[in-house]
Amino acid sequence: MALEKTFNAAEAESRIYADWETKGAFKAGANAQRDEHFSVMIPPPNVTGSLHMGHAFNNTLQDILVRWHRMQGFDTLWQPGQDHAGIATQMVVERELAATGQPGRRELGREAFTAKVWEQKQKSGGTIIDQLRRLGASCDWSRNAFTMSGAPGAPEGEEGNFHDAVIKVFVDMYNKGLIYRGKRLVNWDPHFETAISDLEVESTEVDGHMWHFKYPLAGGETYTYVERDEDGNVLFEEERDYISIATTRPETMLGDGAVAVHPSDERYASIVGKLCEIPVGPKAQRRLIPIISDEYPDKNFGSGAVKITGAHDFNDYGVAKRNGIPLYALMDTQGRMRTDGLPYDQAAARAQAIADGSEAAPEDATEINLVPDAYRGLDRFEARKRVVEDVTAEGLAVMTEATDPRLGRAAKKAPVEPGEGGEMRTEEENLVPLVEAKKIMQPFGDRSKVVIEPMLTDQWFVATDKIVQPAIDAVRSGEVTILPEQDRKVYFHWLENIEPWCISRQLWWGHQIPVWYGPKKKDGSYDYRESETFCASSEAEAVKLAQSFYGEQVTIGVEPESAREPYDPGSVVVELRRDPDVLDTWFSSGLWPIGTLGWPEQTAELEKYFPTSVLVTGFDIIFFWVARMMMMQYAVVDQKPFDTVYVHALVRDEKGKKMSKSLGNVLDPLELIDDYGADAVRFTLTSMAAMGRDLKLSTQRIAGYRNFGTKLWNAHRFAEMNGVFEAMPAAMPKPQATLNKWIVGETARIREEVDAALGNFRFNDAANALYAFVWGKVCDWYVELSKPLLQDDAPEAAETRATMAWVLEQCLVLLHPIMPFITEELWQTTAKRDELLALTDWPAYTTADLLDADADRELNWVIGLIESIRSARQQMHVPAGLKVPMLVTEMDEAAQGAWDRNEVMIKRLARVESLERSDSFPKGTVSIAAPGASFGLPLAGLIDIDAEKARLQKSLDKLGKEIGGLKGRLNNPKFAASAPEEVVAEAQANLAARQEEADQLQAALDRLAELG
């Protein structure tokens, strides 16, 4: 079948992919010819997600490795699947319920709501699979996994044992003391009312404020406050009866447990250990808190004194735990000031007794609600406003002049008006509260977009300190390799400073925690305000455990809204209630390598493909997924999950900015595939995948690599028109013509280069080497140089057709892992094939087998000479179509032979009219060096040298001004300090490009100067 004029990607890609699937090209073990296995676990995308640029990049790299190994005969598995994505999926369903006027989650109840989620999963769960197919991902879709398969309520078609595996691991780890329940500070999303992971928190710089307040010293105490310079000279001194603190969250002052200063801060040494008053709340119950010393405060920042609110700040939490400071929670799950707990007067009295030391600090201070009645029930931001107003009204705000630059521009412009009666105000009357206008980093929920609150809540945790060491040792010993090296450091830093892992989420969609609570046995009766815990893999097992513990019948009660609610079942004596929380999705996905292979059953797939070979992942989930998979696999099966972790960088826009919908710079991979074809998108991403370096993606680059595909297509059309595919060689040709020997050797060279690059995860090196070979050496030089040899009367015609057919075939094989669609289309169209290209054996020939040193040297000499002549002509602006005379002053035997055997080609391709020997070059001749020869291009009469000099100098002068401006900008300390990183990088890139252009112009000008 004759080739069409162009490759129609839109028509061909879906047809080709369907053919691959129909013929089982991606099944585990397809084309297996050796005992070695190669397995890759796809980083599971969210089940309701859609393909973004990060997915496209990540899966392109995986697909290259998988296709390459499959063609090499490895027993290969690329395991696909999706993550149930608790919070994201629940959000999608709740929004759809609201949009369609259906009852909400709470009205439906847990069982009916999760049924709705399963409906959504079955409706949209295949979306990203179809999108990955469009990219060309060669996963074994018959093995598609899901992190909730087999869960209670799963509909038909969602069978599997992943849920059973997750529950088994939880129960086993609980029984080993590796999982426990405790009260710790977590990231809390007030919109979804759940704990979330750090990965789901987006820290964004916003316009904020820092309020400065006075905490009066108790009992009328005073001290001398002294500020000194670096040499110890006194800059400022005054007697104070307060300590000044600054805060960006005044509403949290209500829960302060202490004020901390650094041990070396001499300004406050005399008041450490004394008490100060929180300047808010009813005067009758105004609380006193201690002033303590701790290493945390920075004495050079602000006043050097910091308020410690351990229940609402991660840094404060550490200070409070170190110093035995109570943790007073102020907010409910929706971010409102609490209304539960003790009445304020009783809570304040308890807190004061603890501060005085007359009462021991409780381990759990939840019932001590220190929110005054006036603030209870207020939204946290409304409470902030009220606290600021009340503290300021009481005269306890730190004051400053209205022109203080820290106040921001608006404050500077505020006029100081005369007092009543026209008299000017006193200096004191002209002061205003010190409220700094400043940029602050604010944490937002990546899905809810609300401000995240550090919250002290009861959660389930993995005791990571007990399971982390094998994961550290595996990488240190080389049992597991992490690439690039810089990401090993990130991995070690996180694991060596690891915190307990919060694995519970206050959601309904997910693996429900397999824990049931019963009443505490006390003196022969039961107290439902405290709990006994029963961890089991099923309700029946939990009942059995409880009956054994209590010695009597046990019933199952209605599930609570919160596992933290005390309750009274009424007449029922022993009733169990299941923990309503679900497991963090990172817990279940942490079992991905074994769970997808059928564990805990000892399946054939588990035996064959585990440990897996390579994990390809983004650097942003080294902590959240990679490290946790390492810890979990060692903890559960005492084996590494994979041999190698390849960590890739981010895909950014062409200016180096992170893609963002708000910036409008997001590139949609599906739209790019529509516009340019999957092969062009894949090749672009691969060519830019330098290890450890972010990609700067532009549509111009993608268009350029689409042109590369067109070049490959046109080379095959040329070959077809010259009868190359009419008699495909049954075996590797053994040519005699120098040109054919050369291209066969070059093919062996590129095969070795591609294998070496892919073997070392240097994807960009493989792509760029193939680009240079296919476009430059095959499509340009070989096709062009072969034209005389393909003439029917040429003695080398048959040999050249056979060689060209083989070389083009090898181009398709070597390019296939990166550009699977166009290569498969050409493979199937140019000849009758017994197998798919996707299942064709990868070549194993070497340069030792195929490289002819003499042919290699001669053809590279010819190509180098032609390129040098073309470059000189272009640089000197010699008209492209003009044939020029050439001179040669010396030529050794090898050079003479190469010229004689290739004179016709050299003259035709370099547009050379003649070659004459000369003792020396006349004035106005451009020297062109070649190994063993010295050529010259006389320019007299070809160009106007003076006019060309003037043109070059004008361009050089213009560039000089641009370079000077860029250098001045980059050398300006203010620009380097204040400009965004991507702006500085863009300026540096512009300077480098301009400098390179200037160097080329200067070289051309220097050449002309030599001519006179």
Side-chain angles (χ1 to χ4, degrees):
M1 184 174 70
L3 287 171
E4 299 291 338
K5 284 188 69 175
T6 58
F7 175 56
N8 185 346
E11 179 278 326
E13 288 174 356
S14 59
R15 169 174 48 79
I16 292 168
Y17 199 95
D19 192 39
W20 285 331
E21 288 205 273
T22 300
K23 294 175 179 175
F26 307 150
K27 289 274 191 179
N31 199 46
Q33 300 169 41
R34 53 170 89 179
D35 293 334
E36 298 161 278
H37 81 270
F38 181 79
S39 55
V40 175
M41 296 288 158
I42 198 170
N46 290 354
V47 69
T48 55
S50 58
L51 195 73
H52 56 62
M53 216 64 237
H55 288 136
F57 182 38
N58 177 275
N59 286 281
T60 294
L61 300 185
Q62 291 177 81
D63 195 41
I64 290 168
L65 293 174
V66 168
R67 288 179 182 270
W68 179 51
H69 281 87
R70 189 184 289 124
M71 294 171 79
Q72 288 179 305
F74 283 79
D75 187 338
T76 303
L77 166 66
W78 187 6
Q79 174 64 54
Q82 297 80 45
D83 190 277
H84 64 277
I87 194 167
T89 306
Q90 183 161 316
M91 177 188 74
V92 168
V93 175
E94 290 200 67
R95 282 182 178 171
E96 186 166 302
L97 291 174
T100 55
Q102 297 183 64
R105 172 168 66 96
R106 299 186 190 283
E107 290 79 13
L108 284 170
R110 186 170 196 142
E111 186 175 341
F113 177 77
T114 53
K116 291 283 186 184
V117 183
W118 278 112
E119 287 176 19
Q120 177 68 30
K121 187 269 175 187
Q122 295 194 307
K123 182 171 67 176
S124 65
T127 300
I128 198 160
I129 293 175
D130 293 339
Q131 292 170 341
L132 286 167
R133 284 185 167 104
R134 291 200 60 198
L135 185 69
S138 61
C139 301
D140 183 354
W141 296 111
S142 68
R143 293 186 48 80
N144 191 52
F146 183 49
T147 53
M148 282 281 284
S149 64
E156 186 178 349
E158 298 291 351
E159 297 84 4
N161 70 339
F162 207 103
H163 172 74
D164 294 341
V166 172
I167 297 304
K168 174 178 170 53
V169 168
F170 184 98
V171 174
D172 288 350
M173 292 181 74
Y174 175 85
N175 290 334
K176 291 176 182 176
L178 300 176
I179 287 179
Y180 64 92
R181 190 162 176 257
K183 190 182 290 289
R184 288 179 62 89
L185 210 59
V186 297
N187 293 309
W188 187 266
D189 189 314
H191 176 78
F192 291 117
E193 296 184 70
T194 181
I196 62 174
S197 70
D198 289 344
L199 189 64
E200 294 158 316
V201 177
E202 293 179 341
S203 291
T204 306
E205 188 177 67
V206 298
D207 292 325
H209 296 89
M210 180 172 279
W211 287 266
H212 291 251
F213 297 129
K214 298 176 180 179
Y215 280 44
L217 298 181
E221 290 272 359
T222 63
Y223 68 107
T224 304
Y225 177 85
V226 181
E227 291 277 1
R228 300 179 187 274
D229 63 17
E230 294 178 356
D231 298 323
N233 300 312
V234 175
L235 299 174
F236 174 78
E237 180 177 339
E238 73 172 0
E239 197 73 8
R240 285 186 175 176
D241 59 0
Y242 66 90
I243 186 169
S244 171
I245 63 95
T247 179
T248 58
R249 302 166 67 212
E251 70 280 8
T252 64
M253 293 165 60
L254 302 166
D256 286 354
V259 169
V261 297
H262 195 274
S264 66
D265 197 334
E266 296 178 356
R267 293 172 297 179
Y268 305 115
S270 64
I271 57 171
V272 170
K274 297 187 182 299
L275 298 175
C276 62
E277 182 182 283
I278 297 176
V280 65
K283 287 292 285 184
Q285 290 94 26
R286 191 65 59 87
R287 286 197 303 120
L288 300 178
I289 56 175
I291 299 170
I292 64 171
S293 65
D294 190 271
E295 296 289 334
Y296 166 63
D298 180 355
K299 62 182 180 181
N300 297 314
F301 180 78
S303 69
V306 295
K307 57 189 283 301
I308 303 301
T309 317
H312 289 278
D313 183 274
F314 287 102
N315 290 317
D316 291 6
Y317 179 79
V319 177
K321 296 295 281 185
R322 283 194 297 273
N323 293 277
I325 304 299
L327 306 173
Y328 298 122
L330 300 171
M331 298 174 200
D332 65 16
T333 58
Q334 294 181 330
R336 297 172 307 200
M337 308 309 285
R338 289 174 55 195
T339 57
D340 62 337
L342 294 172
Y344 180 72
D345 56 349
Q346 294 179 33
R350 285 277 307 278
Q352 192 58 63
I354 293 167
D356 294 341
S358 57
E359 180 180 329
E363 190 171 322
D364 184 351
T366 303
E367 74 168 348
I368 304 176
N369 181 358
L370 293 175
V371 180
D373 294 337
Y375 305 138
R376 292 194 176 193
L378 293 179
D379 176 80
R380 54 188 163 153
F381 299 115
E382 177 61 26
R384 174 181 299 178
K385 180 181 174 184
R386 293 276 295 276
V387 166
V388 170
E389 290 173 350
D390 291 348
V391 174
T392 304
E394 198 170 326
L396 292 175
V398 174
M399 307 298 282
T400 188
E401 294 180 1
T403 55
D404 190 327
R406 292 176 294 175
L407 298 172
R409 293 179 181 174
K412 286 184 185 180
K413 294 177 181 177
V416 180
E417 299 177 358
E420 293 181 14
E423 74 280 4
M424 293 305 293
R425 294 179 176 179
T426 64
E427 183 178 341
E428 185 175 331
E429 290 173 326
N430 284 332
L431 298 180
V432 296
L434 175 52
V435 183
E436 290 186 64
K438 60 184 301 176
K439 297 285 186 182
I440 60 172
M441 295 304 294
Q442 188 94 71
F444 291 90
D446 65 343
R447 292 182 176 88
S448 67
K449 305 305 178 186
V450 302
V451 176
I452 296 305
E453 188 69 38
M455 289 275 276
L456 193 64
T457 61
D458 292 300
Q459 302 289 344
W460 285 94
F461 295 90
V462 172
T464 44
D465 59 323
K466 295 181 180 179
I467 64 171
V468 70
Q469 198 57 46
I472 294 173
D473 294 341
V475 177
R476 287 215 186 281
S477 68
E479 182 177 23
V480 175
T481 301
I482 295 179
L483 298 171
E485 179 72 23
Q486 67 202 46
D487 290 302
R488 282 167 49 96
K489 297 173 184 175
V490 175
Y491 175 86
F492 287 134
H493 177 76
W494 191 70
L495 288 182
E496 288 167 354
N497 297 278
I498 199 162
E499 294 285 335
W501 172 14
C502 176
I503 57 171
S504 48
R505 297 292 182 265
Q506 290 63 55
L507 303 169
W508 284 357
W509 174 240
H511 300 278
Q512 191 170 354
I513 288 173
V515 167
W516 286 258
Y517 302 108
K520 203 80 172 173
K521 286 178 78 171
K522 285 187 177 180
D523 302 325
S525 62
Y526 300 107
D527 184 351
Y528 279 88
R529 292 171 300 178
E530 298 182 51
S531 299
E532 297 287 355
T533 301
F534 302 95
C535 180
S537 58
S538 68
E539 182 180 289
E541 289 185 28
V543 169
K544 188 176 179 180
L545 284 174
Q547 288 180 168
S548 175
F549 177 78
Y550 291 113
E552 57 181 285
Q553 281 296 112
V554 171
T555 62
I556 297 294
V558 177
E559 192 172 288
E561 178 70 22
S562 167
R564 290 159 292 284
E565 292 177 4
Y567 70 107
D568 183 353
S571 60
V572 178
V573 177
V574 180
E575 179 181 276
L576 298 185
R577 302 202 310 172
R578 187 170 184 177
D579 193 309
D581 292 350
V582 300
L583 287 165
D584 173 22
T585 53
W586 296 108
F587 185 86
S588 49
S589 63
L591 302 173
W592 190 244
I594 55 174
T596 52
L597 296 174
W599 186 91
E601 302 297 325
Q602 292 304 306
T603 64
E605 291 83 3
L606 187 66
E607 180 70 25
K608 183 187 294 186
Y609 297 117
F610 184 83
T612 64
S613 306
V614 179
L615 174 72
V616 179
T617 188
F619 75 90
D620 54 336
I621 56 173
I622 292 175
F623 318 135
F624 299 99
W625 192 44
V626 179
R628 285 167 179 170
M629 275 192 291
M630 288 283 283
M631 289 190 293
M632 293 294 276
Q633 258 62 211
Y634 278 111
V636 175
V637 296
D638 196 24
Q639 283 183 276
K640 63 183 177 182
F642 23 69
D643 296 324
T644 302
V645 180
Y646 175 78
V647 182
H648 61 73
L650 279 177
V651 182
R652 298 180 179 272
D653 73 5
E654 59 188 311
K655 294 183 178 179
K657 292 182 179 179
K658 189 174 180 178
M659 292 187 189
S660 161
K661 289 182 180 178
S662 61
L663 292 175
N665 64 344
V666 172
L667 292 175
D668 184 334
L670 297 172
E671 291 179 4
L672 295 174
I673 290 172
D674 287 339
D675 293 341
Y676 302 101
D679 291 318
V681 174
R682 289 170 61 112
F683 201 95
T684 305
L685 293 168
T686 309
S687 70
M688 301 174 72
M691 198 177 290
R693 191 184 311 160
D694 286 347
L695 288 75
K696 295 181 182 179
L697 190 63
S698 69
T699 54
Q700 289 88 347
R701 291 199 68 150
I702 300 170
Y705 287 116
R706 179 184 58 186
N707 295 342
F708 174 59
T710 302
K711 188 82 171 178
L712 178 70
W713 188 269
N714 288 340
H716 281 76
R717 290 190 70 229
F718 168 83
E720 182 182 64
M721 288 185 289
N722 283 275
V724 167
F725 303 124
E726 291 174 5
M728 294 290 287
M732 184 184 297
K734 296 181 179 179
Q736 299 303 309
T738 300
L739 175 64
N740 293 327
K741 287 181 180 179
W742 167 76
I743 196 61
V744 166
E746 288 292 340
T747 304
R749 182 176 277 143
I750 192 62
R751 199 283 303 163
E752 291 178 341
E753 196 171 341
V754 169
D755 276 2
L758 292 181
N760 289 290
F761 301 93
R762 291 185 282 105
F763 297 95
N764 60 311
D765 288 349
N768 294 330
L770 281 166
Y771 182 90
F773 170 72
V774 173
W775 187 303
K777 291 182 178 175
V778 176
C779 297
D780 276 354
W781 289 111
Y782 182 59
V783 166
E784 192 63 43
L785 296 172
S786 69
K787 287 178 179 177
L789 279 62
L790 287 169
Q791 301 302 312
D792 290 334
D793 58 350
E796 306 93 345
E799 170 193 306
T800 302
R801 287 190 178 93
T803 303
M804 183 174 287
W806 179 82
V807 168
L808 289 174
E809 185 176 83
Q810 298 310 299
C811 288
L812 299 181
V813 172
L814 296 172
L815 276 169
H816 180 74
I818 305 176
M819 304 180 80
F821 290 107
I822 193 172
T823 54
E824 187 74 70
E825 181 80 338
L826 287 168
W827 178 266
Q828 299 289 348
T829 308
T830 53
K832 184 175 176 56
R833 309 283 186 178
D834 296 329
E835 73 287 310
L836 295 167
L837 176 55
L839 297 179
T840 295
D841 293 343
W842 189 261
Y845 47 74
T846 66
T847 51
D849 300 327
L850 302 183
L851 185 72
D852 184 298
D854 292 334
D856 185 65
R857 185 165 45 250
E858 180 171 314
L859 259 295
N860 285 324
W861 186 91
V862 170
I863 290 170
L865 175 59
I866 294 171
E867 286 179 335
S868 294
I869 296 171
R870 286 175 170 177
S871 176
R873 291 178 60 125
Q874 183 180 21
Q875 204 173 41
M876 296 297 106
H877 272 225
V878 175
L882 183 66
K883 287 192 172 184
V884 298
M886 292 279 292
L887 301 174
V888 61
T889 57
E890 56 180 289
M891 199 182 310
D892 63 18
E893 186 177 346
Q896 185 68 59
W899 175 273
D900 292 343
R901 287 187 290 274
N902 299 278
E903 181 177 3
V904 174
M905 286 190 295
I906 296 169
K907 285 183 173 179
R908 180 168 63 86
L909 297 178
R911 307 291 291 171
V912 172
E913 184 177 47
S914 61
L915 179 69
E916 295 182 13
R917 283 193 171 272
S918 175
D919 293 333
S920 61
F921 293 141
K923 188 176 181 182
T925 299
V926 175
S927 295
I928 298 171
S934 180
F935 296 93
L937 173 60
L939 294 179
L942 299 181
I943 63 170
D944 184 331
I945 293 177
D946 290 337
E948 186 63 16
K949 279 183 179 178
R951 184 190 69 79
L952 289 172
Q953 188 61 57
K954 183 178 180 182
S955 298
L956 199 57
D957 291 343
K958 182 181 178 183
L959 270 176
K961 291 180 181 179
E962 292 181 23
I963 289 169
L966 285 167
K967 282 183 176 179
R969 192 179 184 198
L970 286 166
N971 291 333
N972 184 340
K974 290 184 179 178
F975 173 73
S978 60
E981 186 179 331
E982 62 269 16
V983 173
V984 175
E986 184 179 0
Q988 290 170 334
N990 285 340
L991 176 60
R994 300 292 186 278
Q995 191 63 61
E996 183 179 359
E997 188 180 351
D999 292 343
Q1000 292 172 351
L1001 289 175
Q1002 187 61 57
L1005 196 58
D1006 292 343
R1007 265 189 168 178
L1008 287 174
E1010 295 171 5
L1011 304 180

